[in-house]
Structure formats: structure tokens, C-alpha cells
Amino acid sequence: MQLFQEKIKAACAKKEALFDESLGRYGLRSMLAGAYLTMSTAAGIIAADVIGAETHTVSRLVFTFIFSIGLVYVLFFNGELATSNMLYLTSGAYYKFIPWKKAVTILLYCTLLNLVGAIFLAWLFNQSYSFHHLTDESYLATTVQTKLAKSDWGNFIEGITANMFVNIAIMGYMLLKEESAKIFVVVSAVFMFVFLVNEHLVANFSSFMLAAFSQLKNLEGLELLNVLRQWVVVFFGNWIGGGVFIGLAYAWLNQTKTNHREG
């Protein structure tokens, strides 16, 4: 069995066992993943406003770098992130390591609890000093309105590309041995998708909830139906990007009978 297959088999077995043993514990792992990304999102937003006060370009660089640390937290502290599970569970179902029905059930449960974690941390941050000083010109306001103004097609395509980057990070973390190399691949891949303003479901949970609980008023597009529309479209885009274009692609590549392997 190739290394990629071994890692996918082990990951699916672990996730299924955790899910079956205790929905509460698996749910908490998922909530923590949403919380970690909300923490890095919140810090990035304030840093973008403070450090990049004079130029939007600097704000974008600052936010992008700080946000990327959130995925490092998720991976090193064993959070359950929906967008990385799209790779693990889709590949695992393809290999028949886990039934498709169970894979979809775990993915949907993880997604919901990622949202719960993001909601809780977003509410907490909005009780803090820094978030009491947000203005309509803040990085949060600009970013959220930009995202919510995109078309379904734009969200879908950018959902695909965003989760391709994220799951390149997951592949690096899964296959590399050196911790420093893992961190570099994770931060660099996440930096790229965030800088491109591509659409990542759990990142959007964080930014939209931070905006929803904030003192900012009249944010264009921040309405329940529009937010749900964006999330649903991005969910399917992310699944294709991470689950199909990366997960299934490498699952198929690693079924070769030769000594050559892709991971």
C-alpha cells in the first residue's frame, strides 16, 4: 500500500472511530477548528487595520499572513476541519475505507460544528476592546462586502481553487516528515488562496460571524439568505476542489502497480 493510501486509511479509521465513540468529543474537535480559524481571522483583521492604515495593499498582506497561522493551529492541535475532511473522506470512500454514507454524515456534522465554533468565538471577540473600535472602513467591512457581492459562479470557481490550495497544505502536512517543512507548506498554500481572495467555507464562517456580531451597521449583502446562498455554493466548490481535484486525483494516481508514487 502506498504512503498516501496508508495515511488516508489511518485518518478515516480515526475519524470514524472518534465519531462513533462520542459525537460530543468529535463535535468539540470540530468546534475548535472553527474557533482556531476565527481567532486568526480576528487577529488578522485588527492587525490589517492598525498596521495597514495607510494602504490597503499592506492590510491585505498582514491579514493574509496572520490568517494562515490558523490552519497550522488546526493541524497541530488535531481540530476537525470540514474542508480538509473533504480530501480525507472522499479519498477514503473511493478506496472503500469508509462507506460513502458515513463519509457524508461525518462531513456535514463537522461543517455544522465548525460553524458553531466560529459563532462562539466571533461573539467573544465582539465583546473585546479591539472590536469596539471597528469602523465602516475597516478591513472586515471591506472584505465581507466584497465576498457577499460575488456571483454564484464566482463563488463556486473560487471555492474550488481555495480548497485546492488548502488541501495542498493538507497533503504537505500529511506526507512530509520535517515539522518546519510542514509549517512552510501550510502557511505558503493558505497565504496564496487568502491573498487571491478565494472562497473558503470555514474562513467565511469566521469573517461573516465576526461582522454579524460587530457594531458595524448596514453592511451590504450581510443578510441571512445571501449568506446562506454564499455558504452553500462555496461548500460544493470546496468539495470539488479538495475532494475531487486533489483527493480523488491523488487516490487514483496512487493506485498504480508500478513503483512510482505521487505521495
Short mmCIF file of all heavy atoms in Angstrom, two decimals, residues 81-125:
data_model
loop_
_atom_site.label_atom_id
_atom_site.label_comp_id
_atom_site.label_asym_id
_atom_site.label_seq_id
_atom_site.Cartn_x
_atom_site.Cartn_y
_atom_site.Cartn_z
N LEU A 81 -11.51 19.86 10.59
CA LEU A 81 -11.88 20.93 9.67
C LEU A 81 -12.61 20.34 8.46
O LEU A 81 -12.11 19.41 7.82
CB LEU A 81 -10.63 21.67 9.21
CG LEU A 81 -10.84 22.91 8.35
CD1 LEU A 81 -11.53 24.02 9.14
CD2 LEU A 81 -9.50 23.41 7.80
N ALA A 82 -13.78 20.89 8.16
CA ALA A 82 -14.60 20.34 7.08
C ALA A 82 -13.86 20.30 5.75
O ALA A 82 -13.94 19.31 5.00
CB ALA A 82 -15.89 21.15 6.94
N THR A 83 -13.14 21.35 5.43
CA THR A 83 -12.52 21.44 4.10
C THR A 83 -11.35 20.49 3.92
O THR A 83 -11.05 20.09 2.80
CB THR A 83 -12.10 22.89 3.80
OG1 THR A 83 -11.38 23.41 4.94
CG2 THR A 83 -13.31 23.75 3.53
N SER A 84 -10.67 20.11 5.00
CA SER A 84 -9.64 19.07 4.88
C SER A 84 -10.29 17.69 4.90
O SER A 84 -9.81 16.76 4.24
CB SER A 84 -8.61 19.20 6.00
OG SER A 84 -9.20 19.08 7.27
N ASN A 85 -11.39 17.54 5.63
CA ASN A 85 -12.11 16.27 5.62
C ASN A 85 -12.67 15.94 4.25
O ASN A 85 -12.93 14.77 3.94
CB ASN A 85 -13.23 16.28 6.66
CG ASN A 85 -12.72 15.96 8.05
OD1 ASN A 85 -11.63 15.40 8.21
ND2 ASN A 85 -13.49 16.30 9.06
N MET A 86 -12.87 16.96 3.43
CA MET A 86 -13.32 16.69 2.06
C MET A 86 -12.31 15.83 1.32
O MET A 86 -12.68 14.96 0.53
CB MET A 86 -13.56 18.01 1.33
CG MET A 86 -14.77 18.77 1.85
SD MET A 86 -14.91 20.43 1.15
CE MET A 86 -16.44 20.99 1.93
N LEU A 87 -11.02 16.08 1.56
CA LEU A 87 -9.98 15.24 0.96
C LEU A 87 -9.96 13.86 1.60
O LEU A 87 -10.03 12.84 0.91
CB LEU A 87 -8.61 15.91 1.10
CG LEU A 87 -7.40 15.14 0.55
CD1 LEU A 87 -6.34 16.11 0.04
CD2 LEU A 87 -6.77 14.21 1.59
N TYR A 88 -9.83 13.81 2.92
CA TYR A 88 -9.70 12.54 3.62
C TYR A 88 -10.90 11.61 3.36
O TYR A 88 -10.73 10.44 3.01
CB TYR A 88 -9.59 12.77 5.13
CG TYR A 88 -8.27 13.33 5.58
CD1 TYR A 88 -8.21 14.56 6.23
CD2 TYR A 88 -7.08 12.64 5.39
CE1 TYR A 88 -7.00 15.08 6.67
CE2 TYR A 88 -5.87 13.15 5.83
CZ TYR A 88 -5.83 14.37 6.46
OH TYR A 88 -4.63 14.89 6.90
N LEU A 89 -12.10 12.13 3.55
CA LEU A 89 -13.29 11.29 3.48
C LEU A 89 -13.65 10.90 2.05
O LEU A 89 -14.10 9.78 1.81
CB LEU A 89 -14.47 11.99 4.16
CG LEU A 89 -14.29 12.23 5.66
CD1 LEU A 89 -15.40 13.13 6.20
CD2 LEU A 89 -14.26 10.91 6.42
N THR A 90 -13.44 11.80 1.10
CA THR A 90 -13.72 11.46 -0.29
C THR A 90 -12.74 10.41 -0.80
O THR A 90 -13.14 9.44 -1.46
CB THR A 90 -13.66 12.73 -1.18
OG1 THR A 90 -14.58 13.70 -0.68
CG2 THR A 90 -14.02 12.41 -2.62
N SER A 91 -11.46 10.59 -0.49
CA SER A 91 -10.46 9.60 -0.89
C SER A 91 -10.72 8.27 -0.19
O SER A 91 -10.62 7.19 -0.80
CB SER A 91 -9.04 10.09 -0.55
OG SER A 91 -8.74 11.29 -1.21
N GLY A 92 -11.06 8.34 1.10
CA GLY A 92 -11.33 7.12 1.86
C GLY A 92 -12.52 6.36 1.32
O GLY A 92 -12.51 5.12 1.25
N ALA A 93 -13.57 7.08 0.94
CA ALA A 93 -14.75 6.43 0.37
C ALA A 93 -14.42 5.81 -0.99
O ALA A 93 -14.89 4.71 -1.32
CB ALA A 93 -15.88 7.44 0.23
N TYR A 94 -13.60 6.50 -1.77
CA TYR A 94 -13.17 5.96 -3.07
C TYR A 94 -12.41 4.65 -2.89
O TYR A 94 -12.62 3.69 -3.64
CB TYR A 94 -12.29 7.00 -3.77
CG TYR A 94 -11.64 6.51 -5.04
CD1 TYR A 94 -12.34 6.47 -6.24
CD2 TYR A 94 -10.30 6.10 -5.04
CE1 TYR A 94 -11.73 6.03 -7.41
CE2 TYR A 94 -9.69 5.65 -6.19
CZ TYR A 94 -10.40 5.62 -7.38
OH TYR A 94 -9.80 5.18 -8.53
N TYR A 95 -11.54 4.60 -1.87
CA TYR A 95 -10.79 3.38 -1.59
C TYR A 95 -11.61 2.32 -0.85
O TYR A 95 -11.12 1.24 -0.57
CB TYR A 95 -9.56 3.72 -0.74
CG TYR A 95 -8.41 4.37 -1.46
CD1 TYR A 95 -7.74 5.44 -0.88
CD2 TYR A 95 -7.96 3.88 -2.68
CE1 TYR A 95 -6.65 6.04 -1.52
CE2 TYR A 95 -6.87 4.47 -3.33
CZ TYR A 95 -6.22 5.54 -2.73
OH TYR A 95 -5.14 6.12 -3.36
N LYS A 96 -12.84 2.66 -0.47
CA LYS A 96 -13.72 1.78 0.32
C LYS A 96 -13.20 1.57 1.75
O LYS A 96 -13.48 0.55 2.38
CB LYS A 96 -13.94 0.44 -0.38
CG LYS A 96 -14.67 0.55 -1.72
CD LYS A 96 -14.94 -0.82 -2.30
CE LYS A 96 -15.88 -0.75 -3.49
NZ LYS A 96 -15.39 0.03 -4.61
N PHE A 97 -12.45 2.56 2.26
CA PHE A 97 -12.03 2.52 3.66
C PHE A 97 -13.16 2.97 4.59
O PHE A 97 -13.14 2.67 5.79
CB PHE A 97 -10.81 3.43 3.89
CG PHE A 97 -9.57 3.02 3.16
CD1 PHE A 97 -8.65 3.97 2.76
CD2 PHE A 97 -9.31 1.68 2.88
CE1 PHE A 97 -7.48 3.60 2.09
CE2 PHE A 97 -8.16 1.30 2.21
CZ PHE A 97 -7.24 2.26 1.81
N ILE A 98 -14.14 3.67 4.02
CA ILE A 98 -15.27 4.17 4.79
C ILE A 98 -16.47 4.24 3.83
O ILE A 98 -16.30 4.61 2.66
CB ILE A 98 -14.96 5.56 5.41
CG1 ILE A 98 -16.10 6.04 6.31
CG2 ILE A 98 -14.66 6.60 4.34
CD1 ILE A 98 -15.76 7.31 7.10
N PRO A 99 -17.68 3.88 4.28
CA PRO A 99 -18.84 3.97 3.38
C PRO A 99 -19.13 5.43 3.00
O PRO A 99 -18.93 6.34 3.80
CB PRO A 99 -19.98 3.40 4.23
CG PRO A 99 -19.32 2.62 5.32
CD PRO A 99 -18.02 3.29 5.59
N TRP A 100 -19.64 5.63 1.79
CA TRP A 100 -19.96 6.97 1.33
C TRP A 100 -20.97 7.65 2.27
O TRP A 100 -20.83 8.84 2.58
CB TRP A 100 -20.53 6.94 -0.09
CG TRP A 100 -19.48 6.88 -1.16
CD1 TRP A 100 -19.12 5.80 -1.90
CD2 TRP A 100 -18.64 7.96 -1.59
NE1 TRP A 100 -18.11 6.12 -2.76
CE2 TRP A 100 -17.80 7.44 -2.62
CE3 TRP A 100 -18.52 9.30 -1.24
CZ2 TRP A 100 -16.85 8.23 -3.27
CZ3 TRP A 100 -17.58 10.09 -1.90
CH2 TRP A 100 -16.76 9.56 -2.89
N LYS A 101 -21.97 6.90 2.72
CA LYS A 101 -22.98 7.49 3.60
C LYS A 101 -22.36 8.00 4.89
O LYS A 101 -22.67 9.11 5.35
CB LYS A 101 -24.07 6.46 3.91
CG LYS A 101 -25.21 7.02 4.76
CD LYS A 101 -26.29 5.97 5.00
CE LYS A 101 -27.41 6.53 5.88
NZ LYS A 101 -28.47 5.52 6.12
N LYS A 102 -21.46 7.21 5.48
CA LYS A 102 -20.80 7.63 6.71
C LYS A 102 -19.88 8.83 6.45
O LYS A 102 -19.80 9.76 7.27
CB LYS A 102 -20.01 6.46 7.30
CG LYS A 102 -19.22 6.79 8.56
CD LYS A 102 -20.08 7.28 9.71
CE LYS A 102 -20.79 6.20 10.45
NZ LYS A 102 -19.97 5.23 11.13
N ALA A 103 -19.20 8.83 5.31
CA ALA A 103 -18.31 9.94 4.97
C ALA A 103 -19.10 11.25 4.87
O ALA A 103 -18.68 12.29 5.40
CB ALA A 103 -17.60 9.66 3.65
N VAL A 104 -20.24 11.20 4.19
CA VAL A 104 -21.07 12.41 4.04
C VAL A 104 -21.62 12.85 5.39
O VAL A 104 -21.65 14.05 5.72
CB VAL A 104 -22.21 12.16 3.03
CG1 VAL A 104 -23.19 13.34 3.02
CG2 VAL A 104 -21.65 11.92 1.63
N THR A 105 -22.05 11.90 6.21
CA THR A 105 -22.59 12.23 7.54
C THR A 105 -21.54 12.92 8.40
O THR A 105 -21.82 13.95 9.03
CB THR A 105 -23.07 10.95 8.25
OG1 THR A 105 -24.09 10.32 7.46
CG2 THR A 105 -23.63 11.27 9.63
N ILE A 106 -20.33 12.37 8.42
CA ILE A 106 -19.25 12.98 9.22
C ILE A 106 -18.93 14.37 8.69
O ILE A 106 -18.73 15.32 9.46
CB ILE A 106 -18.00 12.08 9.21
CG1 ILE A 106 -18.29 10.79 9.96
CG2 ILE A 106 -16.81 12.81 9.83
CD1 ILE A 106 -17.15 9.77 9.89
N LEU A 107 -18.87 14.51 7.37
CA LEU A 107 -18.53 15.81 6.78
C LEU A 107 -19.56 16.87 7.13
O LEU A 107 -19.21 18.00 7.52
CB LEU A 107 -18.42 15.68 5.25
CG LEU A 107 -18.10 16.97 4.50
CD1 LEU A 107 -16.79 17.57 4.97
CD2 LEU A 107 -18.06 16.72 3.00
N LEU A 108 -20.84 16.54 7.03
CA LEU A 108 -21.89 17.52 7.34
C LEU A 108 -21.89 17.88 8.83
O LEU A 108 -22.07 19.05 9.19
CB LEU A 108 -23.25 16.97 6.91
CG LEU A 108 -23.46 16.81 5.41
CD1 LEU A 108 -24.83 16.20 5.12
CD2 LEU A 108 -23.31 18.14 4.67
N TYR A 109 -21.69 16.89 9.68
CA TYR A 109 -21.63 17.15 11.13
C TYR A 109 -20.44 18.04 11.46
O TYR A 109 -20.56 19.00 12.24
CB TYR A 109 -21.53 15.82 11.87
CG TYR A 109 -21.57 15.95 13.38
CD1 TYR A 109 -22.75 16.23 14.05
CD2 TYR A 109 -20.41 15.76 14.14
CE1 TYR A 109 -22.79 16.34 15.44
CE2 TYR A 109 -20.44 15.87 15.52
CZ TYR A 109 -21.64 16.16 16.16
OH TYR A 109 -21.66 16.26 17.53
N CYS A 110 -19.31 17.75 10.86
CA CYS A 110 -18.11 18.56 11.07
C CYS A 110 -18.33 19.99 10.61
O CYS A 110 -17.95 20.95 11.29
CB CYS A 110 -16.93 17.93 10.31
SG CYS A 110 -15.39 18.84 10.45
N THR A 111 -18.96 20.16 9.45
CA THR A 111 -19.24 21.50 8.92
C THR A 111 -20.11 22.31 9.87
O THR A 111 -19.82 23.47 10.18
CB THR A 111 -19.94 21.39 7.55
OG1 THR A 111 -19.11 20.64 6.65
CG2 THR A 111 -20.20 22.78 6.97
N LEU A 112 -21.18 21.68 10.37
CA LEU A 112 -22.08 22.37 11.28
C LEU A 112 -21.36 22.80 12.56
O LEU A 112 -21.52 23.92 13.03
CB LEU A 112 -23.25 21.45 11.64
CG LEU A 112 -24.25 21.99 12.67
CD1 LEU A 112 -24.91 23.27 12.17
CD2 LEU A 112 -25.29 20.94 13.02
N LEU A 113 -20.52 21.92 13.12
CA LEU A 113 -19.82 22.25 14.36
C LEU A 113 -18.67 23.23 14.14
O LEU A 113 -18.33 23.99 15.05
CB LEU A 113 -19.34 20.98 15.05
CG LEU A 113 -20.36 20.30 15.99
CD1 LEU A 113 -20.69 21.21 17.17
CD2 LEU A 113 -21.65 19.92 15.28
N ASN A 114 -18.08 23.25 12.93
CA ASN A 114 -17.13 24.32 12.59
C ASN A 114 -17.83 25.67 12.69
O ASN A 114 -17.27 26.65 13.22
CB ASN A 114 -16.61 24.15 11.16
CG ASN A 114 -15.56 23.08 10.98
OD1 ASN A 114 -15.22 22.73 9.84
ND2 ASN A 114 -15.01 22.54 12.05
N LEU A 115 -19.07 25.73 12.20
CA LEU A 115 -19.85 26.96 12.27
C LEU A 115 -20.14 27.35 13.72
O LEU A 115 -20.02 28.52 14.09
CB LEU A 115 -21.15 26.80 11.49
CG LEU A 115 -22.14 27.97 11.57
CD1 LEU A 115 -21.52 29.27 11.08
CD2 LEU A 115 -23.41 27.65 10.78
N VAL A 116 -20.51 26.38 14.55
CA VAL A 116 -20.80 26.66 15.95
C VAL A 116 -19.56 27.24 16.64
O VAL A 116 -19.65 28.22 17.40
CB VAL A 116 -21.28 25.39 16.68
CG1 VAL A 116 -21.40 25.64 18.19
CG2 VAL A 116 -22.63 24.94 16.12
N GLY A 117 -18.40 26.65 16.38
CA GLY A 117 -17.17 27.17 16.96
C GLY A 117 -16.88 28.58 16.50
O GLY A 117 -16.45 29.44 17.30
N ALA A 118 -17.11 28.86 15.22
CA ALA A 118 -16.88 30.20 14.68
C ALA A 118 -17.84 31.21 15.31
O ALA A 118 -17.45 32.34 15.65
CB ALA A 118 -17.04 30.19 13.16
N ILE A 119 -19.10 30.81 15.47
CA ILE A 119 -20.10 31.71 16.07
C ILE A 119 -19.69 32.08 17.50
O ILE A 119 -19.74 33.26 17.89
CB ILE A 119 -21.49 31.06 16.05
CG1 ILE A 119 -22.02 30.99 14.62
CG2 ILE A 119 -22.46 31.81 16.95
CD1 ILE A 119 -23.31 30.18 14.49
N PHE A 120 -19.30 31.09 18.28
CA PHE A 120 -18.95 31.35 19.69
C PHE A 120 -17.76 32.29 19.81
O PHE A 120 -17.78 33.26 20.58
CB PHE A 120 -18.66 30.02 20.40
CG PHE A 120 -18.33 30.19 21.86
CD1 PHE A 120 -19.25 30.74 22.74
CD2 PHE A 120 -17.10 29.81 22.35
CE1 PHE A 120 -18.95 30.91 24.08
CE2 PHE A 120 -16.78 29.97 23.69
CZ PHE A 120 -17.71 30.52 24.56
N LEU A 121 -16.69 32.03 19.05
CA LEU A 121 -15.51 32.89 19.13
C LEU A 121 -15.79 34.27 18.55
O LEU A 121 -15.28 35.28 19.05
CB LEU A 121 -14.33 32.24 18.42
CG LEU A 121 -13.36 31.47 19.31
CD1 LEU A 121 -12.57 32.42 20.23
CD2 LEU A 121 -14.07 30.44 20.15
N ALA A 122 -16.61 34.35 17.50
CA ALA A 122 -16.95 35.65 16.93
C ALA A 122 -17.70 36.50 17.95
O ALA A 122 -17.46 37.71 18.06
CB ALA A 122 -17.79 35.47 15.66
N TRP A 123 -18.60 35.87 18.68
CA TRP A 123 -19.33 36.60 19.72
C TRP A 123 -18.37 37.08 20.81
O TRP A 123 -18.44 38.23 21.25
CB TRP A 123 -20.41 35.71 20.32
CG TRP A 123 -21.17 36.40 21.43
CD1 TRP A 123 -22.21 37.27 21.27
CD2 TRP A 123 -20.93 36.30 22.83
NE1 TRP A 123 -22.63 37.73 22.51
CE2 TRP A 123 -21.86 37.15 23.48
CE3 TRP A 123 -20.01 35.58 23.59
CZ2 TRP A 123 -21.91 37.29 24.86
CZ3 TRP A 123 -20.05 35.72 24.97
CH2 TRP A 123 -20.99 36.57 25.59
N LEU A 124 -17.46 36.21 21.23
CA LEU A 124 -16.49 36.60 22.27
C LEU A 124 -15.64 37.78 21.82
O LEU A 124 -15.45 38.74 22.58
CB LEU A 124 -15.58 35.41 22.61
CG LEU A 124 -16.14 34.30 23.50
CD1 LEU A 124 -15.06 33.25 23.75
CD2 LEU A 124 -16.64 34.86 24.83
N PHE A 125 -15.10 37.71 20.62
CA PHE A 125 -14.23 38.79 20.14
C PHE A 125 -14.98 40.12 20.06
O PHE A 125 -14.40 41.18 20.29
CB PHE A 125 -13.62 38.44 18.78
CG PHE A 125 -12.42 37.55 18.88
CD1 PHE A 125 -12.42 36.30 18.29
CD2 PHE A 125 -11.28 37.96 19.57
CE1 PHE A 125 -11.31 35.46 18.39
CE2 PHE A 125 -10.16 37.14 19.67
CZ PHE A 125 -10.19 35.88 19.08
#
